[in-house]
Structure formats: C-alpha cells, structure tokens
Amino acid sequence: MIQVPKLKHTDKNAFFLIAGPCAIEGEEIAMEIAERVGEITDKLGIPYIFKGSYRKANRSRIDSFTGIGDEKALNILAKVAQRFDLPTTTDFHTDEEAAMAANYVDILQVPAFLCRQTNLLVAAAKTGKVVNIKKGQFLSPEAMAFARQKVIDSGNDQVWLTERGATFGYTDLVVDFRGIPVMRSLGSPVVMDCTHSLQQPNQASGVTGGKPALIETIAKAAIAVGADGIFMETHPNPSVAKSDAANMLPLDNLEGILTKLLRIREAVL
C-alpha cells in the first residue's frame, strides 16, 4: 500500500520515516537535515520521506513565524527531492493550495485541525497524490473512517492516517495507542506523529510548549502496537528553530532512536 515515487528500501520490511524541520526556514538548513537523515536511513535501510511546511498557517500569535514565502519554500522542497532523490511532503491549508503544493511534493498532508474539511479533502484527493490525514485532536480514531472515505469517494485510494494525540484539558495532549490498530483496521497505513503528540498548546506566553524527552517513548510504543510509519520533526539545534522549537528532536539523537525502533519492529513482526 506504500506507493510513493523515489521511496527507497521498501523491500526491507521496516517502518517508514517522515522527518524534517517543522517549517522550511531556508535552503541551507533544509539541505543539511535532508542529507543527514538520508544518510542515516540509507545506513539502516529505512524508507525516508522529507517533510517541511512551506507555510505555518496555524500559529498562536500574529507575530509568530509563518514562513519565508510559499513559492520560495516550495522550490526548496523541490530542490531537496532532486538533490537527494527523496520523496517529499508538506501540509496545505486551503482547497486552492492543494493543486499548488502537489506540483512540488509527493504526499499532501492534511493538518489535524482541518481533517474534517470536506472541500479540502476532496481537493487533495483530486491531485492524485498520496493524502496523509492527521487525526484531529478532537476526534476518535473511529471517526477517521469518514475523513478517509471522503478521499476514497473522490477517486483516490492512496490515504494514510496519522495519530498525533488527543486534547487533554486545555494545555496538554495524550496518546491513546489503541487508536493505531483501530485506524489500521480501516485499511490504510497509519503513522505516529511522535513530536506534535508531545506538544503543550495554549500556554499563557502564546508559545507552544512540549516534552521532547518523551519522543523515544512515544515512538517505541507506536512501533510495538503496529504503526506503519513514524513522523518526527527534527533540527540540528531545536532551540533556535523558528517553529515548534519546544518539541522537535535534536538531529544528533535520531540514529540511536531509529536503531532501537528497528529492533522493536523485528521483535513484534
């Protein structure tokens, strides 16, 4: 079911990895991350998809970083794909943006807050690209059947579903790992977003917090219960990242975590 152009190591029976910076901050940092993650995943035999948001539309404050310009960021995604021969993904935010983003990336990611927007899902489906729908923090895993079906009914059966935690009070999220097998039973690959699920939103400062020390824990549990893919936002120095600095994985920690996840995968298969 994993049909993505340029996706390597699909014969290894490993989970696939979606990883990159939260937002495209510039060409140099995007290339650095793509190169290093590509080297690690080639070494370990893990299928890798580069992720970067060309724009961050859902921000807490009006002065929060939103992007470097849509066309500039999308062109950087295209350069990453060409230079490293990697598939790429990005999120989009309106019906009109689906076709625009599809010209540059292989997978369209539907943001969690927008996962019930029918027109958005239909527009994504009509591009013919793989559509990765992130489960809303306000939805049960079972409810994702309807979001998935909207894409399928629009003529596109290449649908992935991503777990990213459920709202717990006003300023925290919790992951119910029962949701992974529930969503897998619908017939689509399921991804665990190990970084956004550790966000602490709605802080008094207007800057989202996070618990990055638990990224490895979330990832291990997800692989143990059968997740097909792992999503992690990573950065050489998360403290200076322009978006989601509080919950990204330091790039230096990635190889060690992935090595452990492969062992778990081998044990549970």
Side-chain angles (χ1 to χ4, degrees), residues 221-242:
I223 294 299
V225 298
D228 300 283
I230 292 292
F231 178 111
M232 293 181 186
E233 289 184 338
T234 186
H235 195 282
N237 185 1
S239 65
V240 301
K242 295 183 178 180

Side-chain angles (χ1 to χ4, degrees), residues 2-10 15-21 33-34 37-38 41-42 46-52 77 80-81 84-90 105-109 130 132 160 189 191 228-234 254:
I2 309 299
Q3 300 176 12
V4 180
K6 297 178 286 188
L7 191 62
K8 305 170 188 174
H9 309 300
T10 55
F15 55 88
F16 61 91
L17 175 69
I18 302 173
I33 294 170
V37 180
T41 51
D42 281 344
I46 296 172
Y48 171 46
I49 300 156
F50 178 84
K51 180 267 173 185
L77 282 163
V80 166
F84 301 109
D85 195 29
L86 290 171
T88 58
T89 184
T90 192
V105 300
D106 303 288
I107 300 163
L108 292 176
Q109 179 179 288
V130 174
N132 181 21
W160 300 355
V191 182
D228 300 283
I230 292 292
F231 178 111
M232 293 181 186
E233 289 184 338
T234 186
L254 181 63

Side-chain angles (χ1 to χ4, degrees), residues 103-232:
N103 287 326
Y104 296 87
V105 300
D106 303 288
I107 300 163
L108 292 176
Q109 179 179 288
V110 178
F113 282 123
L114 301 176
C115 70
R116 284 178 47 126
Q117 298 298 105
T118 300
N119 289 347
L120 199 77
L121 293 167
V122 171
K126 289 182 176 178
T127 67
K129 300 287 185 173
V130 174
V131 181
N132 181 21
I133 312 172
K134 300 190 78 172
K135 181 178 76 64
Q137 301 92 316
F138 45 86
L139 284 182
S140 69
E142 291 83 358
M144 289 300 288
F146 304 107
R148 173 181 179 271
Q149 197 63 43
K150 290 176 183 178
V151 177
I152 293 172
D153 288 346
S154 300
N156 187 341
D157 63 359
Q158 291 298 303
V159 188
W160 300 355
L161 303 175
T162 293
E163 170 62 55
R164 54 97 72 234
T167 298
F168 188 74
Y170 288 113
T171 60
D172 207 358
L173 298 168
V174 65
V175 178
D176 180 353
F177 286 97
R178 296 175 299 179
I180 292 176
V182 167
M183 290 193 289
R184 289 190 84 231
S185 72
L186 300 175
S188 290
V190 173
V191 182
M192 181 70 231
D193 183 340
C194 302
T195 44
H196 288 105
S197 60
L198 290 167
Q199 284 181 328
Q200 293 181 302
N202 305 317
Q203 300 296 308
S205 65
V207 178
T208 297
K211 297 180 179 179
L214 292 175
I215 291 171
E216 181 175 327
T217 300
I218 294 290
K220 286 177 175 177
I223 294 299
V225 298
D228 300 283
I230 292 292
F231 178 111
M232 293 181 186

Side-chain angles (χ1 to χ4, degrees), residues 20-56:
C22 178
I24 297 297
E25 302 174 4
E27 184 170 335
E28 183 177 353
I29 190 69
M31 295 298 173
E32 177 184 350
I33 294 170
E35 183 174 24
R36 287 189 60 189
V37 180
E39 290 171 350
I40 292 167
T41 51
D42 281 344
K43 175 182 176 182
L44 298 177
I46 296 172
Y48 171 46
I49 300 156
F50 178 84
K51 180 267 173 185
S53 296
Y54 65 86
R55 177 166 21 98
K56 301 299 295 183

